[in-house]
Amino acid sequence: MLFFRLFLVLTIAIPLRAQVDPQNIQIARDQWGVPHIFAPTDAEVAYGLAWASAEDDFLTMQKQLLPAKGLMGQVFGKQGAQLDVIVHLLGARKTTRERYTTDLSPDFRKILEAYADGLNAYAARHPKEVLHRKLFPVDGQDLIPSYMLGLALLSQIDEPLSEIFSGKIGEEVSQERGSNAAAIAPHKTTTGETFLLANSHQPLEGLYSWYEAHVCSEEGWNMLGANFPGGVSLFLGTNPYLGWAHTVNYPDFTDIYKLKMHPERKLAYRFNGEWLELQPDFYKARIRLLGFLPAGKKQKFYQSKYGITFETPNGFFALRTVANQTIKAPEQWYRMNKARNWDEFRAALDLQGITCTNIVYADREGHIYHLGNGLLPKRDPNYDWSGILPGDTSATLWENDFYPVDQLVQVLDPPSGYVYNCNHTPFRSTAPEDNPDTTAIPPHMGYKRPNDLTNRGARFQALMQQYDQVSYEDFKRIKYDQAYEQPMVAVPWFEPIFHLNPDDYPDIQEQIRLLRDWDRVADANSEAAATAILAYYHLESALKSGQSVLELDTLPEKELAEALRFAQEHFVEHFGQPTVRLGKLQQHRRGNVSLPMGGGPDVLAAVRSELQKDGRLRPVSGDSYIQFVRYSEEGVQIESINAYGASARPDSPHYTDQMQRFTSQELKPMTLDKEAVLDEALRVYHPE
């Protein structure tokens, strides 16, 4: 083991370049442990961001990097190997090698390389924390595949892949994902400020969880917000002039093609009247056995005109996605970080590297904006792109021709004074009278249509319509609202559970009466909320494979009653009584901290929870990093909160120190002012 550690230190340290002097970099930790990185140049800031992020969550950073080198399976077994395979199927490493010097600007490549240097330096200094001896050193190119993988997963590529690998190609598979974002113009606020809310719903910890940081250089990079550990810039937040938020969206980002195979010639497929040969594409997924022995399982894929192609019991299918059509996402986020006004921000959008997720924007000049963002191919309108496509013609093969930003669904500075998105259709992004024209967007662009609505979207619109002008406190109340609209617009199949006749079900009369009288608010003190949410999760888990809670029309009444019976029996078994308060059932937990938690799936104060062995629900996703921003001529005011704290290390004082405020719907003040940060910092040091 000693030899291995020495070998690791040497192999990591030798390739390090002298691009950055750590003595030029200051990392200031505030009272919450949030890192504020100061340096003369952007590259030095990137180096410091890598170091600070590794101090707080080196484990997750490595999980982001391992698939880029095909090592995830060797560390985390079969489940990790799945990410290795997806990176291979995306062709992420090959595409990065081919485009790294042509598609990314020289100045941004310096940012990537400096960030990689910071990671290598940390790994060299902390060899015991390194998960695999072949992971380090990394370079700038090694950082790109994790972006492509993340955007592919946000584009729901796991769903068609699951269909293909399970042999259930053509069946519907769906998974609930979330986020809230909103911006309010000065004429709509009581103070004449512009308001911005960034409220992304991600896993609370681990891969794709939020990490808060502040980066500030003398070259004009000054941004406070959050990214996923391993991001070379911030993915959302604010600088002194402007800010933005993202929400997951659901346009058609991925197409599946069924190939027409030759009746006699093996691996020959028809394309434009000719018979072509599929090209084998082997990949050996290496996984860990017995905790330490790597074993390789060779998987056989193919390449066709459409890209990666699979042999299934139902024939040969090809998959084509926008997520691997560009490597520009990290540079686009960096350019957005540095934008100083609307024109510069809009120019950054034209890079079209961020292949999915809506964008909600606000700035100190009073502009607000919603973009139904996506890299959307120009598809032939003569085909039904919502289903399986014929894989024998170039008419269905889109290549390098995408709708520019100005042709996407968007709203800029609507007269009503607000824009928002809660993962619903982009055609409902502001007041009804200012919404985008649905007739101007052809169906084959793949957007969700106007009837696609979440409870959060319906609730936000209903609350906003109550105000002629919105105060800052009003804005907070809207975001932290815990109510379901009546009736249940997003999941109408669940609405009948509130109207069951208690006389028909004597054994669950108390549960039925609770729900009939419920105000539909998922408050921590509500017993009805606990019953309804547990029943909902039970029904959701009982759905057949491939079914989606968002696409169901109805459920038999007996199944709804059975869900209430399950909830009642669960409460008796684990709590000794037929009903309990939501805050007793649902507890925000980490380490030795366990706090009552309100909220539920698809309320504005969103919580997605999983049952634990002791019978309680533990939040695992939903509200995570939250940032409120107010812009005025005088500057910017910022408040934020994270689900747990700034550090993912159990021995850190910042492992759980934001939890109380998080569950109490309280925020912490933050600043972009360097002098104020340094005056109040608990610790200032160099990354070494």
Side-chain angles (χ1 to χ4, degrees):
M1 182 61 73
L2 180 61
F3 171 79
F4 167 69
R5 290 174 185 164
L6 178 61
F7 172 79
L8 190 65
V9 171
L10 291 175
T11 55
I12 292 173
I14 288 172
L16 292 184
R17 296 173 293 278
Q19 178 180 348
V20 170
D21 181 358
Q23 291 298 313
N24 291 337
I25 304 166
Q26 287 181 306
I27 300 175
R29 296 281 183 171
D30 63 24
Q31 65 171 314
W32 301 101
V34 176
H36 302 251
I37 298 102
F38 303 109
T41 67
D42 290 358
E44 290 166 326
V45 165
Y47 183 105
L49 177 61
W51 183 281
S53 302
E55 288 182 312
D56 292 321
D57 198 355
F58 192 45
L59 175 62
T60 299
M61 295 179 80
Q62 292 180 85
K63 288 181 179 179
Q64 296 280 159
L65 289 169
L66 284 164
K69 291 195 170 185
L71 300 173
M72 192 70 164
Q74 291 194 42
V75 179
F76 292 101
K78 184 177 180 180
Q79 188 172 5
Q82 294 174 359
L83 296 181
D84 292 338
V85 172
I86 294 176
V87 169
H88 173 75
L89 298 180
L90 291 171
R93 291 185 290 272
K94 179 176 182 292
T95 301
T96 299
R97 287 194 303 271
E98 293 173 347
R99 302 185 183 184
Y100 187 70
T101 58
T102 59
D103 289 14
L104 300 178
S105 64
D107 63 314
F108 181 67
R109 294 201 302 272
K110 291 180 181 178
I111 304 298
L112 289 169
E113 299 300 337
Y115 189 96
D117 286 350
L119 266 178
N120 291 332
Y122 184 90
R125 286 295 184 93
H126 303 85
K128 293 181 182 179
E129 297 181 31
V130 174
L131 296 177
H132 196 286
R133 65 182 180 84
K134 292 184 178 180
L135 180 55
F136 295 99
V138 296
D139 60 22
Q141 292 192 40
D142 294 324
L143 305 177
I144 304 296
S146 66
Y147 279 85
M148 297 174 71
L149 173 62
L151 288 169
L153 293 174
L154 285 173
S155 302
Q156 299 92 47
I157 197 174
D158 50 318
E159 296 171 12
L161 284 176
S162 176
E163 295 177 50
I164 291 170
F165 286 130
S166 67
K168 297 177 179 178
I169 185 72
E171 295 184 8
E172 292 293 335
V173 179
S174 185
Q175 179 182 350
E176 184 179 340
R177 294 172 170 90
S179 292
N180 301 322
I184 305 182
H187 72 267
K188 185 70 174 178
T189 67
T190 58
T191 57
E193 299 168 305
T194 311
F195 295 164
L196 174 68
L197 166 67
N199 176 208
S200 182
H201 300 158
Q202 289 294 121
L204 301 192
E205 55 190 344
L207 279 172
Y208 308 115
S209 59
W210 288 113
Y211 176 72
E212 185 176 27
H214 173 206
V215 290
C216 182
S217 80
E218 296 173 15
E219 295 181 332
W221 189 9
N222 188 10
M223 179 89 182
L224 172 69
N227 64 13
F228 303 149
V232 301
S233 65
L234 301 181
F235 298 167
L236 53 78
T238 188
N239 64 34
Y241 312 99
L242 57 85
W244 72 91
H246 289 294
T247 65
V248 174
N249 58 353
Y250 300 89
D252 183 1
F253 294 122
T254 302
D255 292 316
I256 300 177
Y257 307 82
K258 185 169 185 179
L259 274 58
K260 185 174 183 179
M261 306 304 294
H262 194 282
E264 297 177 357
R265 285 173 52 192
K266 189 176 181 181
L267 302 184
Y269 70 101
R270 190 172 181 82
F271 185 79
N272 283 350
E274 299 181 20
W275 292 103
L276 306 179
E277 296 293 326
L278 289 174
Q279 301 302 308
D281 184 354
F282 295 101
Y283 181 72
K284 183 177 286 188
R286 303 187 68 83
I287 63 173
R288 180 186 60 183
L289 294 177
L290 303 176
F292 60 91
L293 294 175
K297 181 180 179 182
K298 183 177 287 188
Q299 294 175 297
K300 191 173 186 179
F301 307 109
Y302 301 90
Q303 290 288 337
S304 68
K305 285 283 189 179
Y306 297 94
I308 196 70
T309 301
F310 311 84
E311 183 178 11
T312 80
N314 298 320
F316 284 80
F317 292 86
L319 181 146
R320 194 166 185 81
T321 178
V322 302
N324 61 358
Q325 301 297 307
T326 175
I327 65 168
K328 294 181 180 180
E331 179 157 6
Q332 180 178 338
W333 265 308
Y334 169 71
R335 300 298 175 194
M336 291 160 66
N337 276 225
K338 294 201 67 175
R340 297 167 61 94
N341 53 49
W342 163 247
D343 290 337
E344 291 180 7
F345 186 85
R346 180 62 183 76
L349 298 183
D350 281 334
L351 287 174
Q352 291 195 286
I354 303 173
T355 57
C356 62
T357 75
N358 300 303
I359 297 172
V360 171
Y361 164 95
D363 64 32
R364 62 188 296 176
E365 296 177 355
H367 296 301
I368 60 172
Y369 178 62
H370 172 272
L371 174 65
N373 181 60
L375 191 63
L376 301 180
K378 293 184 178 179
R379 298 174 167 110
D380 189 326
N382 295 311
Y383 292 88
D384 178 9
W385 293 88
S386 64
I388 306 299
L389 294 155
D392 60 354
T393 171
S394 57
T396 59
L397 178 59
W398 46 262
E399 290 185 285
N400 303 318
D401 192 9
F402 304 97
Y403 288 97
V405 173
D406 59 10
Q407 293 184 30
L408 304 180
V409 178
Q410 57 198 283
V411 174
L412 174 65
D413 296 333
S416 54
Y418 66 95
V419 294
Y420 70 104
N421 187 267
C422 303
N423 308 113
H424 58 280
T425 172
F427 295 107
R428 296 189 184 187
S429 53
T430 181
E433 63 271 19
D434 296 331
N435 275 322
D437 179 9
T438 60
T439 63
I441 303 297
H444 56 271
M445 280 186 75
Y447 279 111
K448 293 183 78 172
R449 307 316 293 171
N451 60 336
D452 292 309
L453 198 61
T454 60
N455 176 75
R456 288 170 288 115
R459 185 67 180 164
F460 185 93
Q461 182 63 256
L463 292 172
M464 280 297 298
Q465 289 179 333
Q466 299 176 9
Y467 299 98
D468 292 327
Q469 287 189 312
V470 179
S471 71
Y472 185 53
E473 292 305 315
D474 294 331
F475 195 37
K476 286 183 177 179
R477 279 192 291 270
I478 291 172
K479 182 269 154 297
Y480 281 117
D481 183 81
Q482 296 176 325
Y484 291 98
E485 281 290 278
Q486 300 186 43
M488 303 280 282
V489 293
V491 284
W493 57 267
F494 196 63
E495 179 65 28
I497 203 169
F498 303 107
H499 308 286
L500 295 176
N501 186 346
D503 294 335
D504 293 341
Y505 303 96
D507 61 321
I508 53 172
Q509 284 185 346
E510 184 175 0
Q511 304 290 346
I512 292 173
R513 291 194 175 100
L514 265 178
L515 295 194
R516 288 169 69 96
D517 297 335
W518 186 31
D519 61 3
R520 307 286 181 97
V521 178
D523 181 82
N525 293 317
S526 171
E527 293 182 342
T531 296
I533 289 171
L534 190 58
Y536 176 86
Y537 284 143
H538 176 73
L539 289 167
E540 188 179 55
S541 66
L543 292 177
K544 296 178 181 178
S545 175
Q547 283 186 297
S548 165
V549 297
L550 301 178
E551 296 168 351
L552 280 178
D553 293 323
T554 60
L555 277 180
E557 183 177 298
K558 65 178 183 179
E559 292 188 26
L560 300 174
E562 180 55 37
L564 293 184
R565 193 170 290 114
F566 166 82
Q568 179 172 275
E569 292 173 355
H570 182 89
F571 295 149
V572 170
E573 178 184 355
H574 293 282
F575 301 96
Q577 56 196 67
T579 62
V580 299
R581 293 177 294 105
L582 178 59
K584 189 173 183 180
L585 172 68
Q586 184 168 258
Q587 302 245 310
H588 189 42
R589 291 177 168 180
R590 195 184 218 189
N592 296 322
V593 180
S594 185
L595 299 169
M597 185 80 180
D602 206 22
V603 297
L604 285 166
V607 179
R608 291 286 307 187
S609 297
E610 293 181 354
L611 272 174
Q612 306 299 298
K613 291 181 179 180
D614 65 356
R616 285 181 165 82
L617 290 172
R618 179 177 183 261
V620 295
S621 65
D623 273 1
S624 45
Y625 180 70
I626 303 170
Q627 186 185 84
F628 283 87
V629 189
R630 289 177 284 174
Y631 301 95
S632 67
E633 294 181 357
E634 288 72 37
V636 57
Q637 298 180 65
I638 311 164
E639 291 186 294
S640 70
I641 199 70
N642 214 338
Y644 297 118
S647 176
R649 298 182 183 271
D651 58 350
S652 168
H654 306 297
Y655 186 61
T656 59
D657 62 341
Q658 295 186 49
M659 289 178 65
Q660 182 64 63
R661 288 196 178 211
F662 182 77
T663 57
S664 301
Q665 300 184 344
E666 299 176 13
L667 303 162
K668 64 185 193 299
M670 299 295 289
T671 183
L672 291 164
D673 187 284
K674 179 179 179 179
E675 290 186 6
V677 170
L678 293 176
D679 285 345
E680 299 176 7
L682 298 185
R683 182 185 173 211
V684 181
Y685 59 98
H686 304 295
E688 55 185 7

